[in-house]
Amino acid sequence: MSEAAIEVRGLTKAYGKVQAVAGVDLTIAAGEIFALLGPNGAGKTTTVEILEGYIKRDSGSVRVLGHDPAKNAIALKRRIGIVAQENSPDPFLTVREMVRMIAGTYPAPRPADEVIELVGLTDKARTRAGRLSGGQQRRLDVACALVGDPDLLFLDEPTTGFDPDARLEAWAMVRGLRDLGKTVLLTTHYMDEAQQLADRVAVIASGRIIAEGTPDTLGGRGHAASRIRFRRPTGGPPLPDTVAARATEQEGQVTLSIDDPVPLLNALTGWAIAHSIALEGLEVTRPSLEDTYLALIGADRAGGTA
Amino acid sequence: MIAWPGSVLHHLRFINLSFWRNPGAAFFGVVFPLMILTINSLVFGGAKIPMHGHTVTAASFYVAGMSVFAVVMTCFTNLAVTILFDRDMGRLKRIRGTPTAVSAYVTARLLFAMAMGLLASMLCVAEGVAFFGVTIALPDLGAFVVTVLAGSACLAALSLAVVSVIPNAQAGPAMLNAVTFPILFVSNVFYPVDRLPAWLNAIANALPIRPLATATVGAFFGGGISLPSLSVLGIWGVVGAVIAAARFRWQPRR
């Protein structure tokens, strides 16, 4: 587990005057599910397509499973599986034919029917791919990516356009990949997806990695302040001093922010019980991954456009 | 390790499966030329026209002409349209994400288009012989097959080159037909063309379809293999291959 599946140093790529990737460093351990987050145009797909061997980098060093994708493309492709964006199957081939077509390109593929079962398409094996729903086609994409029995999977926005049910199914499938010991590089702009699936995440903006960590600690999220919110009845008794000192109140909605919420909550609930106040809408929240992400992206936009 | 010929055969198998289930591809490549051959032969087939010093029936001229039309439709237009759709829909990109050697996949596409060109032209011959009293001597058929295969290879190479300048699949059929039909009409395909203005004649002879038609009609009526015409096809084929090798894209422009 110590060997890195992906090792990237100082990666750059420009399209004309647009610097799509401006010095990316990235290390992804074998067996890890790693999510690359970022807004459209941040350099996510360009970075991933360089790792996959689709496009050539301008500079920097890249090792994927020990190969340089720009040099050993075929040797590398025997060990990776790709679920790309906008990747529809041949509509005139059945699910089984499609999987066999891809399987036949690998040296030691898994049996087609086994992979079809893994993605839950067994009852559609004889259906033409053109007649599958969007979610089923995406599962067929995953079957095609798995059939070569790769060590590393690239999933580029695998659930974009899915309904909530299909997304839950897809997540279960990706967790299954972890159990198979695969390394997964996932790109997404759904923060709940990264929170649910990823061991580690990195945020890319303007072609650079601006933060990296576990979903729970990204961007200092692990020790960020908690936020307490509740409604105070109009005309009620004044708040205890410790609470009032930190609170902002707007139309009865009290909000306060504190690193260690426990003593303050104790004071607050003691005050509420003493005055028989219900503390309507009481909530204690940590910043979500989405809050953290938006703050990081916002800071990048504010500072990076000079 | 998968051997290169095995990889070509593997992709040929699935390209073939998909082609015959694709109504557009199968119709325009194979059925459409046969339809025009039938209509032309029913309407004008009995007429006598002079050809290479002797008089032949119009039906036998149409067999040769429609064979060329079929080759243009399968190897140029149809190959380009299917590649454009495969490119737009990410299918080429998916193939390129597998360990398939690029050369093996491209070879499979080319060989399949050439096989369909030959099949469609043979069906034209078979229809003419079976229904319109057309006759062809066996040695002439050999020269005819060689000529059709040379034309198929040339047009397929040009097809792979032309897709690099077509932005997307929507634009494909219109742009391809705008190129092929004017050339077809001055190229001895739909009817014998012998009174073109000199400048138009020179242009038609420099483009690949007219030499292919000249060679195919010549072979059909006992003229053997026309090396001058095939040389023109060879030059165009090399030009196509060089452009394709340099400019071919595996995914849509972003």
Side-chain angles (χ1 to χ4, degrees):
Chain A
M1 283 294 157
S2 59
E3 188 213 352
I6 295 178
E7 186 113 46
V8 176
R9 290 288 168 268
L11 179 66
T12 68
K13 173 76 186 178
Y15 292 110
K17 286 185 176 173
V18 181
Q19 192 69 41
V21 179
V24 161
D25 297 320
L26 206 56
T27 304
I28 300 176
E32 189 170 49
I33 297 186
F34 191 96
L36 193 55
L37 312 175
N40 290 330
K44 282 193 310 264
T45 298
T46 302
T47 301
V48 170
E49 291 195 345
I50 290 169
L51 301 184
E52 291 165 340
Y54 281 124
I55 42 185
K56 293 213 185 322
R57 62 186 183 266
D58 291 342
S59 68
S61 76
V62 177
R63 304 299 283 178
V64 181
L65 301 175
H67 294 287
D68 179 345
K71 288 181 185 141
N72 295 321
I74 298 228
L76 173 62
K77 279 166 186 169
R78 291 198 182 106
R79 294 182 58 202
I80 65 174
I82 297 170
V83 175
Q85 293 177 51
E86 291 151 21
N87 203 353
S88 51
D90 187 326
F92 302 109
L93 296 182
T94 67
V95 166
R96 184 181 285 126
E97 286 163 352
M98 188 68 209
V99 174
R100 283 193 178 149
M101 191 261 276
I102 299 299
T105 67
Y106 288 90
R110 299 176 65 177
D113 286 336
E114 189 183 302
V115 178
I116 291 169
E117 194 185 338
L118 192 75
V119 300
L121 285 176
T122 301
D123 57 338
K124 298 281 178 193
R126 297 164 68 88
T127 302
R128 289 204 191 163
R131 300 202 186 114
L132 298 178
S133 71
Q136 289 167 338
Q137 287 197 358
R138 212 69 181 126
R139 282 190 267 161
L140 174 55
D141 288 342
V142 175
C144 290
L146 281 177
V147 74
D149 201 16
D151 300 315
L152 167 63
L153 274 139
F154 293 93
L155 307 178
D156 199 358
E157 298 186 7
T159 65
T160 298
F162 276 28
D163 61 35
D165 269 0
R167 173 162 302 137
L168 286 179
E169 275 179 48
W171 288 354
M173 209 161 61
V174 175
R175 287 193 197 99
L177 299 178
R178 187 207 319 259
D179 300 337
L180 293 170
K182 311 291 188 195
T183 307
V184 178
L185 173 53
L186 170 80
T187 70
T188 184
H189 40 227
Y190 298 120
M191 293 308 124
D192 50 344
E193 187 159 289
Q195 178 80 57
Q196 288 286 328
L197 296 177
D199 300 314
R200 284 198 306 133
V201 298
V203 177
I204 187 167
S206 316
R208 278 195 184 82
I209 305 283
I210 56 169
E212 200 176 338
T214 69
D216 292 329
T217 60
L218 184 78
R221 197 183 152 206
H223 40 80
S226 297
R227 193 178 60 178
I228 300 173
R229 279 153 60 94
F230 58 93
R231 295 193 70 79
R232 188 165 78 95
T234 42
L239 291 167
D241 290 346
T242 47
V243 177
R246 292 177 165 275
T248 57
E249 188 167 352
Q250 201 172 13
E251 293 170 20
Q253 177 77 51
V254 182
T255 304
L256 50 99
S257 175
I258 187 161
D259 288 339
D260 180 4
V262 173
L264 195 132
L265 278 170
N266 189 39
L268 179 64
T269 49
W271 168 83
I273 290 166
H275 294 89
S276 300
I277 290 168
L279 284 182
E280 269 175 62
L282 173 66
E283 57 180 34
V284 184
T285 52
R286 314 287 300 250
S288 69
L289 184 57
E290 180 133 16
D291 296 332
T292 309
Y293 169 81
L294 290 173
L296 285 165
I297 297 296
D300 175 74
R301 289 215 171 111
T305 47
Chain B
M1 177 69 89
I2 297 152
W4 192 86
S7 182
V8 173
L9 280 176
H10 175 76
H11 285 292
L12 267 175
R13 186 181 148 216
F14 288 97
I15 292 166
N16 181 55
L17 258 181
S18 179
F19 178 87
W20 293 106
R21 293 177 190 168
N22 178 349
F27 178 82
F28 278 102
V30 179
V31 181
F32 191 53
L34 289 175
M35 267 174 54
I36 298 187
L37 173 62
T38 307
I39 294 164
N40 272 356
S41 299
L42 286 174
V43 177
F44 307 109
K48 303 287 182 199
I49 51 176
M51 188 66 62
H52 291 267
H54 41 263
T55 305
V56 302
T57 62
S60 50
F61 170 80
Y62 291 138
V63 165
M66 283 308 104
S67 296
V68 172
F69 179 54
V71 167
V72 172
M73 292 303 277
T74 51
C75 295
F76 186 77
T77 308
N78 191 39
L79 176 62
V81 169
T82 51
I83 285 196
L84 287 170
F85 271 101
D86 287 350
R87 187 176 76 191
D88 279 11
M89 305 303 279
R91 288 177 214 135
L92 293 183
K93 189 180 174 188
R94 190 200 301 270
I95 296 288
R96 208 170 173 219
T98 72
T100 297
V102 164
S103 61
Y105 184 72
V106 172
T107 303
R109 295 294 294 244
L110 284 174
L111 284 180
F112 184 78
M114 288 171 65
M116 288 306 101
L118 184 62
L119 172 73
S121 65
M122 287 299 112
L123 287 174
C124 289
V125 174
E127 181 182 330
V129 170
F131 300 108
F132 299 108
V134 173
T135 55
I136 179 167
L138 216 50
D140 294 344
L141 190 62
F144 176 83
V145 167
V146 169
T147 307
V148 163
L149 283 177
S152 298
C154 164
L155 287 165
L158 286 170
S159 185
L160 293 183
V162 84
V163 292
S164 64
V165 297
I166 299 178
N168 55 52
Q170 266 74 37
M175 289 176 77
L176 292 161
N177 289 334
V179 170
T180 52
F181 275 87
I183 302 176
L184 282 165
F185 278 112
V186 296
S187 292
N188 247 1
V189 173
F190 296 115
Y191 41 78
V193 179
D194 45 15
R195 285 205 197 105
L196 287 179
W199 61 271
L200 193 52
N201 207 36
I203 292 174
N205 279 327
L207 295 170
I209 298 179
R210 175 82 173 267
L212 173 61
T214 303
T216 308
V217 171
F220 201 84
F221 295 111
I225 293 171
S226 162
L227 287 179
S229 298
L230 293 198
S231 312
V232 176
L233 294 181
I235 291 167
W236 277 106
V238 169
V239 168
V242 168
I243 294 174
R247 308 287 304 171
F248 193 80
R249 284 183 288 124
W250 291 80
Q251 44 184 312
R253 202 169 273 145
R254 268 186 279 182

